[in-house]
Amino acid sequence: MKLLAVKHLNKQYGKGEAGIHALRDVSFDMEKGEFAAVVGESGSGKSTLLNCIGGLDNPTSGQVILDGCDLFSMKESKRTVFRRQNIGFIFQSFQLVPELTVEQNIIFPLLLDYRKPDQRAVDELLELLGLSDRRRHLPSELSGGQQQRTAIGRALIAKPMLILADEPTGNLDTGNSRDVLDLLVQASRRYQQTILMITHNVNLTSSVDRVFRVSDGVLADLGGVRE
């Protein structure tokens, strides 16, 4: 089932000859449960692509359609609510709330929507993340890998239609990077979670379903790589 459709997406900063084309006529689809990676050099446009798909940045032209809903035909206030309820974000810098415990950080998106957490689901997620014994710890008491796993839990808890991961291993060493990627793969398989991850590390793409490359704002589909 097609979940995400990106159609003729363009993003230009500035006008005329001085304008910079961050995205050039980008089009692709993603199926429900698919895990795809976008690779590219710094400044290639991959972060701009992720921000546009997530509704954090407005494209110059084109469409982003998630589960039949066109993000940029919505008013900004409606798009904000839609994004919060349907798109999970994982950032390189973790962006945890320092005063909240691991468990509180994970359930925070539910509380924003006045939803009561399912304790069984929270416990299952903490076990999957290997954080059951850290649930009452503050972010400052965690390693970098544990902080990123907490951020992954926060993205997963609301069971969003789409998760966008922006260089999720960028601040981690090799061992923790592999652990984080393995967790994302598990989430994709276990929860049929659709994930789009950007990374500059091509070594992290061997477990995903499909790889895209962005160069000078142009996207190329490199096909599937997972066995």
Side-chain angles (χ1 to χ4, degrees):
M1 183 184 96
K2 182 165 67 175
L3 180 76
L4 173 69
V6 177
K7 299 184 176 182
H8 305 293
L9 207 63
N10 290 277
K11 178 66 178 182
Q12 181 175 347
Y13 297 99
K15 296 181 179 180
E17 293 183 2
I20 298 173
H21 293 271
L23 297 174
R24 300 172 185 266
D25 197 32
V26 171
S27 296
F28 68 96
D29 298 334
M30 286 186 68
E31 301 291 322
K32 178 176 173 58
E34 188 174 14
F35 186 0
V38 180
V39 298
E41 302 297 329
S42 178
S44 62
K46 60 185 188 298
S47 291
T48 301
L49 175 62
L50 207 74
N51 288 337
C52 286
I53 291 173
L56 298 174
D57 195 2
N58 293 333
T60 305
S61 62
Q63 293 177 292
V64 175
I65 301 172
L66 183 59
D67 196 33
C69 298
D70 186 340
L71 265 64
F72 297 104
S73 69
M74 301 177 185
K75 291 184 178 180
E76 187 173 350
S77 57
K78 182 179 179 181
R79 185 166 64 245
T80 298
V81 174
F82 181 87
R83 180 175 60 232
R84 186 172 70 235
Q85 295 178 344
N86 296 289
I87 303 176
F89 294 90
I90 303 171
F91 300 101
Q92 178 178 342
S93 56
F94 315 140
Q95 296 193 7
L96 302 176
V97 181
E99 297 83 9
L100 300 183
T101 65
V102 165
E103 184 170 353
Q104 290 168 337
N105 265 288
I106 288 174
I107 65 174
F108 190 59
L110 299 177
L111 302 181
L112 285 175
D113 278 325
Y114 304 100
R115 295 162 62 186
K116 183 178 180 180
D118 179 340
Q119 193 59 50
R120 182 178 298 179
V122 174
D123 292 342
E124 178 186 341
L125 188 54
L126 284 166
E127 183 177 352
L128 173 69
L129 297 166
L131 292 170
S132 296
D133 61 344
R134 295 287 187 269
R135 65 194 309 154
R136 294 183 176 85
H137 286 61
L138 296 172
S140 60
E141 301 171 308
L142 304 177
S143 67
Q146 290 168 340
Q147 290 184 62
Q148 189 59 293
R149 280 184 269 155
T150 303
I152 291 172
R154 181 183 57 194
L156 288 171
I157 190 64
K159 299 179 179 177
M161 288 189 282
L162 176 66
I163 287 181
L164 301 175
D166 186 357
E167 297 278 9
T169 63
N171 284 331
L172 304 178
D173 59 27
T174 301
N176 278 314
S177 293
R178 177 50 59 181
D179 289 344
V180 163
L181 183 66
D182 288 346
L183 277 172
L184 291 175
V185 171
Q186 285 186 60
S188 175
R189 309 292 175 250
R190 185 167 181 171
Y191 301 119
Q192 272 292 286
Q193 185 66 64
T194 307
I195 303 174
L196 183 63
M197 173 183 74
I198 66 171
T199 180
H200 66 277
N201 188 350
V202 295
N203 294 325
L204 295 177
T205 63
S206 60
S207 301
V208 306
D209 299 312
R210 192 156 47 130
V211 177
F212 300 101
R213 178 178 294 279
V214 176
S215 179
D216 293 328
V218 177
L219 182 135
D221 188 340
L222 304 184
V225 296
R226 185 172 63 91
E227 296 181 357

